Amino acid sequence: MQASRARLFKEYKEVQREKSADPDIQLVCDDSNIFKWTALIKGPSETPFDGGVFQLAFAVPEQYPLQPPQVRFLTKIFHPNVHFKTGEICLDILKNAWSPAWTLQSVCRAIIALMAHPEPDSPLNCDSGNLLRSGDVRGYQSMARMYTRLAASPKKG
Amino acid sequence: MESDEDNMVDANDVESVDDDIYSGELEDDYYYSEADGDGGGEDGGGDDEDGPGYDFMAEAADDLVEDSLYWRQQQSYSILKEDDINQRQDDAITRVSTVLSIPKVDATILLRHYNWSVSKVHDEWFADEDGVRSTVGLLDRPAVHVSDVRELTCGICFEFFPRSRIVSAACGHPFCNSCWSGYINASVNDGPGCLALRCPDPSCRAAVGLDMVNMLASDEEKEKYARYLLRSYVEDNRKTKWCPAPGCECAVDFAGGAGNFDVSCLCSYSFCWSCTEEAHRPVDCGTVSKWILKNSAESENMNWILANSKPCPKCKRPIEKNQGCMHMTCTPPCKFEFCWLCLGSWSEHGERTGGFYACNRYEAAKQEGAYDEAEKRREMAKNSLERYTHYYERWASNQTSRQKALADLQQMQNVHLAKLSDIHCTPESQLKFITDAWLQIVECRRVLKWTYAYGFYLPDHEQGKRQFFEYLQGEAESGLERLHQCAEKELQQFLTPEADRPLKEFEEFRTKLAGLTSVTKNYFENLVRALENGLVDVDSNGSSSRAAGSKDTGGSKGRAGRGKANVKTGRNSDD
């Protein structure tokens, strides 16, 4: 069996076993393709994303874990390091700082950390980055909160 | 410039008969500002400050294998073969390993990190050993202590393995053999960045060196790694460069600082150490690179690269941006971080400078059309193909002529000189004037070739300069034709054994050819200087009087003593 499949299967079993290990992350493998995953992550508290649930799509390459998975937000999010239209994420561990010791789970954790600590100096969403860079934290937060409410809030009822 | 075409044709320049091809209405590339003396760039710096008279004989002599060794010894550079490179690399590693009392593998990692400078390694190490260890990733004790269990979990595939199948770097993080192999092989195949390989654990900085590569990588990757290591010694070392000649595996170790950059390899290829293009006086490095890019720009590949990539501002490799933010990091070993929009260094894009906003302004300006100029320039470059073709053809044909002349010169030395010596009962040493003439021809062809690149970048609106340039070039062509004619055709009649010509006639021939050589040499020297000065004297009607005067006082560094020619050999920087 190819190494990537074996490794993903390990991660799959780990996710099944530790379902409640991290209540903020819910990783789900595609029914028919072990190389496609989705994740629901909770917006970290004390951030404008608090209360939102964001969906991520994972596309895992054949060379995984020697190469990083491709991850993007399916849920619209106003964040300096996430492309507003495509959901593409600018995160070093998904590019050149990838290490095969990372897992899909730890990637999710890194993304949650990125949500709490944006890097406005490497912006994919320039409007968002510029708000933070110019020191308009309130402006940034209210925009981010608005989009969290519009796009990432669980539908009630 | 059109008005001057007749001059050029008159000057029996067969190659410029169809000069009217180029219309000259386009100005797709700008003129490089070559002020007198030095163009200001680091590259050409000093190139043009050599004393007059050194270059012709000396450079031409470089083309002769038998002479080159002699000249090289006087040069501030040396040629390294692969064995020499290995030897030097080994020496450096052994020295560091001995002095610091560390294993050779660690010494290798240290040296590579500090660009193979032994003294730099010593300085840094003795100033702050712990700091260096942590930067480079040489741990003196394991970061994790593995308890004494029989089985361990590999950190990559998460399978259990007996201890015998688990390998760790100095840090102790456990990974299985096959995951290590995959990790190392993938990294080696990613390029020379593998030389700075670290432990796969994201929080760990422990270096992975040659010993682990040799233990775990497959043969092909081991070989590649060794290759990268050797290349790193030449490429990361500030004092060495590969000889750019195809198939040549020598490297040049350049000891001299600023000054003349022309070097000549064992393979007899002469090139500019600064830009690694072939030797190109009187044109400066910047123009040469533009010209060469232009020469290849007509290919589809280059069109695509121009349209879809930007060169890394530091290492100039073309980069295609296919995803991610504007914060670019060039691939190792360059690793330069820059902004894709303005190509400025990313470190200048702090909040303090408002750097990123400047790039927003770039976007705004582009929308308003202020940046359309670059686009227009590209358009025009394509439209100016005809003008370009004119210069290119002449550039290339002089290149061909030069190759031919080189071959003729070899032939002359190997065959004809002995024959002549016999027929005319003259020692070969007294026939040196013929070799000199051919050396001169070879050198003149080289200069003439580059004047066409020069002419291409001469701005059209500088009418005076252009006319003067074309006049000089035309005269140079006709002078060279005279010399070439004499050395080739007139010599023939003295080569037939039946030619029972009086000695007087041969002496006349000697006087004529030596005279022509000397006149042509002077003319081309003046031409080179005038062009290197950017034709500043164009209004004062003397191509190089001022330039020649200012170069008398000479330092004694660099090529001093190299010139056979009588005039001054020194170089100074008062220009």
Side-chain angles (χ1 to χ4, degrees), chain A residues 84-96:
Chain A
F84 193 66
K85 290 203 173 96
T86 65
E88 184 190 345
I89 303 168
C90 189
L91 181 57
D92 58 349
I93 67 148
L94 293 177
K95 306 258 152 67
N96 48 15

Side-chain angles (χ1 to χ4, degrees), chain B residues 276-525:
Chain B
T276 66
E277 295 300 342
E278 59 171 326
H280 55 64
R281 286 184 52 154
V283 186
D284 65 21
C285 296
T287 310
V288 169
S289 84
K290 267 196 293 183
W291 176 250
I292 288 171
L293 180 73
K294 182 131 192 73
N295 287 351
S296 55
E298 310 311 324
S299 77
E300 282 302 306
N301 276 347
M302 194 46 74
N303 280 341
W304 188 92
I305 290 173
L306 273 179
N308 295 294
S309 78
K310 297 183 184 182
C312 164
K314 190 166 165 226
C315 71
K316 311 296 179 211
R317 280 180 294 183
I319 294 176
E320 181 201 7
K321 176 173 157 60
N322 46 19
Q323 56 173 352
C325 61
M326 296 300 164
H327 180 172
M328 305 294 288
T329 306
C330 189
T331 48
C334 172
K335 287 193 195 157
F336 184 63
E337 297 183 35
F338 61 96
C339 165
W340 180 254
L341 287 178
C342 71
L343 295 181
S345 163
W346 194 260
S347 57
E348 287 157 18
H349 280 66
E351 323 226 348
R352 196 165 31 81
T353 59
F356 191 77
Y357 301 102
C359 294
N360 265 355
R361 280 210 295 280
Y362 166 92
E363 288 280 47
K366 199 174 162 195
Q367 269 166 8
E368 286 161 19
Y371 277 81
D372 276 0
E373 234 170 81
E375 285 301 313
K376 269 184 206 149
R377 233 159 49 87
R378 282 185 193 189
E379 283 275 297
M380 298 216 298
K382 289 194 181 131
N383 295 340
S384 69
L385 192 64
E386 285 194 345
R387 172 171 177 275
Y388 160 71
T389 313
H390 166 88
Y391 285 96
Y392 179 74
E393 280 172 0
R394 279 151 192 76
W395 180 82
S397 71
N398 270 298
Q399 163 86 334
T400 319
S401 301
R402 180 171 180 274
Q403 299 301 345
K404 174 75 168 52
L406 256 177
D408 289 351
L409 169 61
Q410 303 282 0
Q411 171 79 358
M412 182 64 64
Q413 287 183 312
N414 297 339
V415 184
H416 293 333
L417 277 190
K419 215 161 143 193
L420 263 179
S421 168
D422 282 353
I423 296 173
H424 300 277
C425 302
T426 316
E428 275 197 43
S429 57
Q430 286 182 26
L431 296 174
K432 199 172 146 290
F433 72 99
I434 297 175
T435 317
D436 288 350
W438 279 97
L439 283 170
Q440 192 57 52
I441 292 168
V442 168
E443 171 61 13
C444 288
R445 284 290 170 208
R446 191 189 66 71
V447 172
L448 209 48
K449 174 176 90 164
W450 285 111
T451 61
Y452 281 102
Y454 189 96
F456 181 77
Y457 289 110
L458 204 56
D460 287 332
H461 60 82
E462 300 228 36
Q463 273 298 330
K465 277 190 183 177
R466 176 162 284 283
Q467 281 180 10
F468 186 49
F469 164 72
E470 284 174 359
Y471 170 75
L472 288 178
Q473 196 184 37
E475 287 292 296
E477 294 250 13
S478 70
L480 177 56
E481 287 303 325
R482 267 202 307 276
L483 174 63
H484 209 147
Q485 169 85 11
C486 183
E488 198 171 22
K489 298 276 153 45
E490 293 184 31
L491 182 66
Q492 285 300 326
Q493 53 189 321
F494 297 100
L495 270 171
T496 43
E498 308 85 48
D500 189 18
R501 290 175 175 276
L503 187 64
K504 188 161 162 279
E505 237 175 88
F506 187 67
E507 285 308 311
E508 275 169 13
F509 170 70
R510 173 202 297 275
T511 316
K512 183 178 178 194
L513 186 58
L516 275 178
T517 308
S518 152
V519 166
T520 314
K521 175 166 150 7
N522 277 334
Y523 188 86
F524 270 77
E525 276 170 11

Side-chain angles (χ1 to χ4, degrees), chain B residues 188-243:
Chain B
V188 169
N189 285 316
D190 261 3
C194 64
L195 296 177
L197 193 61
R198 309 277 181 149
C199 165
D201 189 285
S203 62
C204 183
R205 308 265 302 145
V208 175
L210 184 60
D211 52 341
M212 296 195 65
V213 172
N214 282 337
M215 182 169 67
L216 295 156
S218 57
D219 288 345
E220 193 186 327
E221 273 74 22
K222 271 185 228 173
E223 208 169 286
K224 270 193 194 168
Y225 188 91
R227 202 77 221 150
Y228 284 140
L229 200 59
L230 182 81
R231 271 176 48 186
S232 160
Y233 183 77
V234 174
E235 290 164 22
D236 294 341
N237 203 325
R238 236 174 284 161
K239 288 191 307 195
T240 53
K241 273 179 189 172
W242 293 111
C243 167

